[in-house]
């Protein structure tokens, strides 16, 4: 399996397809496989690069809390780009990955050709803080069932859960029972997310000048559309799309529709 070493942390990555590089940045509990439909479609037209962030799945999981931050994730992405010889790329991130993408675009603007931000925030309001704290309690239980129950209604819409049934919940519990998932690292990742309460990105978003697609879901209970509206209003070259009857996990619930929306946006950038 391919890895790079970034700040003495092994970062797992994958590549597929050819063309202009597109980097897909995971949500906080995701892995590279979570992008299935998106990565498959985009790789027909682009060079798609995915990685597990430090603390996630196949990448190293440092025990030190200070090893986890948006700055650390951005530097890992920068080191991955340098390793692959990529001068500038299209950055697509969902949830936590979207927040890393925003931080990266603010701090390394010369390395970004376009941004796609899916169900993310640039600041944390009280309702998101309270929900995220409930997630933290679920993680701290170190019990896969309690963990999944702590966030599943925030992440998936009622319509989707009813369509897939309880077997989907049981499947998720098995996924997060895997030894590749670390509760300790998940706690560190959540603590890094809370940086946005202490140091919001909102005021820095005006520094972003690349074409940006901001995507939200109307049933998103953890990061509702108002946060996407804040991001879109702050970034001059942006457009906002809000999916109806969909929850936070758009990459799962609306996999095909989301993938074609992102593909259309990226193809438009090729002519610029």
């Amino acid at each position: 399996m391919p890895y790079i070493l970034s700040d003495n942390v092994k970062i797992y990555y994958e590549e597929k397809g050819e063309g202009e590089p597109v980097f897909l940045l995971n949500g906080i509990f995701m892995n590279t496989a979570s992008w299935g439909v998106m990565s498959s479609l985009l790789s027909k037209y682009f060079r798609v690069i995915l990685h597990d962030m430090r603390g996630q799945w196949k990448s190293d999981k440092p025990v030190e809390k200070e090893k986890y931050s948006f700055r650390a994730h951005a530097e890992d992405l920068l080191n991955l780009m340098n390793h692959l010889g990529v001068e500038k790329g299209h950055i697509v991130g969902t949830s936590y990955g979207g927040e890393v993408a925003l931080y990266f675009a603010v701090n390394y603007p010369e390395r970004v050709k376009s941004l796609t931000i899916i169900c993310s925030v640039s600041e944390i309001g009280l309702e998101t803080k309270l929900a995220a704290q409930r997630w933290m309690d679920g993680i701290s239980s170190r019990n896969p069932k309690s963990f999944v129950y702590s966030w599943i209604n925030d992440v998936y819409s009622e319509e989707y859960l009813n369509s897939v049934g309880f077997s989907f919940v049981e499947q998720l519990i098995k996924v997060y029972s895997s030894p590749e998932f670390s509760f300790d690292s998940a706690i560190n990742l959540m603590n890094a997310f809370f940086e946005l309460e202490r140091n919001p990105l909102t005021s820095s978003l005006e520094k972003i000048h690349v074409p940006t697609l901001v995507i939200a879901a109307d049933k998103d209970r953890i990061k509702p559309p108002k946060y996407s509206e804040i991001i879109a209003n702050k970034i001059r070259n942006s457009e906002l799309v809000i999916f109806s009857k969909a929850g936070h996990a758009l990459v799962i619930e609306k996999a095909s529709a989301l993938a074609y929306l992102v593909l259309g946006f990226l193809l438009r950038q090729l002519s610029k």
Side-chain angles (χ1 to χ4, degrees):
M1 293 187 292
Y3 290 90
I4 63 161
L5 197 63
S6 177
D7 185 32
N8 292 317
V9 176
K10 285 172 61 179
I11 303 296
Y12 169 79
Y13 73 93
E14 301 173 6
E15 288 187 88
K16 54 181 73 175
E18 298 179 351
E20 290 193 3
V22 176
F23 292 82
L24 303 182
L25 306 188
N26 296 347
I28 197 164
F29 305 139
M30 285 172 60
N31 60 19
T32 56
S34 305
W35 289 100
V37 173
M38 178 82 73
S39 62
S40 294
L41 179 63
L42 296 186
S43 64
K44 296 178 181 179
Y45 304 87
F46 295 92
R47 178 188 180 189
V48 175
I49 300 152
L50 313 96
H51 73 284
D52 287 340
M53 296 182 193
R54 58 176 61 207
Q56 292 183 331
W57 301 91
K58 294 179 182 178
S59 288
D60 276 354
K61 303 168 182 67
V63 297
E64 303 92 341
K65 178 180 176 180
E66 62 271 15
K67 288 280 190 178
Y68 296 80
S69 65
F70 288 118
R71 178 179 178 181
H73 292 309
E75 290 181 353
D76 290 342
L77 176 57
L78 181 67
N79 289 333
L80 178 59
M81 293 178 77
N82 290 339
H83 174 77
L84 297 174
V86 174
E87 185 63 30
K88 183 177 287 193
H90 303 277
I91 313 296
V92 179
T94 186
S95 193
Y96 190 85
E99 291 132 24
V100 172
L102 290 172
Y103 185 96
F104 187 86
V106 167
N107 289 277
Y108 301 104
E110 72 283 358
R111 308 301 294 268
V112 181
K113 185 163 185 180
S114 76
L115 273 179
T116 301
I117 307 298
I118 306 165
C119 296
S120 301
V121 302
S122 57
E123 58 188 67
I124 298 176
L126 181 59
E127 79 288 3
T128 294
K129 177 182 178 180
L130 292 173
Q133 189 58 59
R134 177 164 31 81
W135 291 23
M136 184 70 92
D137 291 344
I139 300 167
S140 299
S141 74
R142 291 173 170 76
N143 179 296
K145 183 177 179 180
S146 298
F147 169 61
V148 170
Y149 282 5
S150 74
W151 52 257
I152 191 164
N153 283 333
D154 297 323
V155 170
Y156 293 97
S157 67
E158 179 182 351
E159 291 88 347
Y160 184 77
L161 289 175
N162 285 332
S163 71
V164 294
F166 192 74
S167 61
F168 176 69
V169 181
E170 294 175 322
Q171 179 185 352
L172 286 175
I173 292 169
K174 288 182 181 178
V175 167
Y176 291 104
S177 299
S178 166
E180 283 192 338
F181 181 78
S182 165
F183 286 103
D184 290 336
S185 295
I187 288 172
N188 287 327
L189 289 165
M190 285 297 297
N191 280 325
F193 171 69
F194 282 120
E195 282 184 38
L196 291 175
E197 181 185 19
R198 300 183 296 271
N199 299 298
L201 279 170
T202 303
S203 62
S204 300
L205 297 182
E206 294 176 352
K207 298 178 182 179
I208 298 174
H209 300 294
V210 295
T212 301
L213 174 62
V214 183
I215 304 170
D218 67 341
K219 304 293 186 181
D220 188 342
R221 297 187 185 94
I222 183 70
K223 299 176 182 178
K226 71 175 186 178
Y227 290 105
S228 295
E229 292 169 357
I230 290 170
I231 293 169
N233 287 335
K234 285 289 184 178
I235 300 176
R236 186 175 59 190
N237 294 314
S238 67
E239 53 187 285
L240 174 65
V241 176
I242 301 177
F243 275 75
S244 62
K245 298 181 180 180
H248 181 71
L250 269 179
V251 295
I252 305 297
E253 286 197 25
K254 302 289 185 180
S256 293
L258 178 65
Y260 277 103
L261 174 65
V262 174
L263 175 62
F265 171 74
L266 292 174
L267 288 175
R268 292 202 305 274
Q269 310 317 310
L270 294 181
S271 60
K272 295 181 179 179

